[in-house]
Amino acid sequence: RATEGWDILGTIATEIDRLTDVTAHYLQLARRPPAKLGRTVLSDLVRDVERLLAAELESRDVKLSLKLAEMPPCLVDGNQFRQALLNVVRNAVEAGAKTLRLTTRFEDGLVEIALADDGPGMGPEDIERATDPFYSTKASGTGLGLAITRQILEDHDGSIRVLSTPGRGTDIALVFPFRPAPAELAEAPPA
């Protein structure tokens, strides 16, 4: 009987953690502060995300490679973009990807940060709904990560593009207009 009680308490604790996570994501979506634009070197931001996720990716035997374009500092909310990248990478890992390639491009006044993965991919209906709040194909997913990412991009006059084929992985691109950061503006502090 004592073992059964501990099992029930463990289940309750797990459910409380899950609900706390859902609530935190919901509040982040509903009450996200306006973008605080600052001087951001995107290649440094991407490398920060790689460092933040290194232990998590290693524990799941996931390989992440980077191919970063040279570009001048831009004017974005670095903390929000860090969150967007964390959301996109974690989504790919939770979907089952084992190889990730994160690239940046700067062309024709647009910046693109793209993640390509070797995960299971998505069908047309899942692609259409991928950035909808509360839509998830994962049993334990909240469906808020890509919705928050989409909002962050929209706050920067950008968009999120999802391309995928079942069994062949997914490519997610965060695309936004390049806004040069004035030289006199201090670099945005990391979160």
Side-chain angles (χ1 to χ4, degrees), residues 106-151:
F106 174 46
E107 191 174 298
D108 297 327
L110 291 176
V111 176
E112 178 181 281
I113 304 172
L115 181 74
D117 72 49
D118 67 347
M122 296 184 275
E125 182 180 317
D126 291 331
I127 293 170
E128 183 71 29
R129 299 193 59 207
T131 62
D132 289 352
F134 307 108
Y135 180 76
S136 179
T137 59
K138 299 176 295 228
S140 62
T142 62
L144 292 172
L146 289 182
I148 290 168
T149 299
R150 184 186 75 205
Q151 262 195 354

Side-chain angles (χ1 to χ4, degrees), residues 81-104:
F81 268 85
R82 188 174 288 105
Q83 183 62 56
L85 284 175
L86 288 168
N87 291 345
V88 170
V89 172
R90 284 187 171 134
N91 252 24
V93 172
E94 290 169 6
K98 291 297 183 186
T99 303
L100 309 171
R101 188 176 68 251
L102 195 51
T103 61
T104 60

Side-chain angles (χ1 to χ4, degrees), residues 144-167:
L144 292 172
L146 289 182
I148 290 168
T149 299
R150 184 186 75 205
Q151 262 195 354
I152 289 168
L153 268 295
E154 288 173 356
D155 287 351
H156 289 79
D157 299 321
S159 62
I160 182 170
R161 185 180 68 236
V162 180
L163 301 172
S164 190
T165 303

Side-chain angles (χ1 to χ4, degrees), residues 42 48 53 84 102 105 142 178 183 186:
L42 283 177
D48 286 347
L53 292 171
L102 195 51
R105 283 188 346 169
T142 62
F178 175 79

Side-chain angles (χ1 to χ4, degrees), residues 28-63:
Q28 186 179 9
L29 180 66
R31 293 190 293 164
R32 197 169 37 72
K36 293 180 183 172
L37 302 180
R39 181 183 177 88
T40 303
V41 177
L42 283 177
S43 57
D44 291 347
L45 186 141
V46 172
R47 286 186 193 99
D48 286 347
V49 168
E50 178 188 36
R51 280 189 291 276
L52 282 169
L53 292 171
E56 185 178 331
L57 296 178
E58 185 176 335
S59 73
R60 292 176 176 235
D61 197 30
V62 175
K63 304 294 183 224

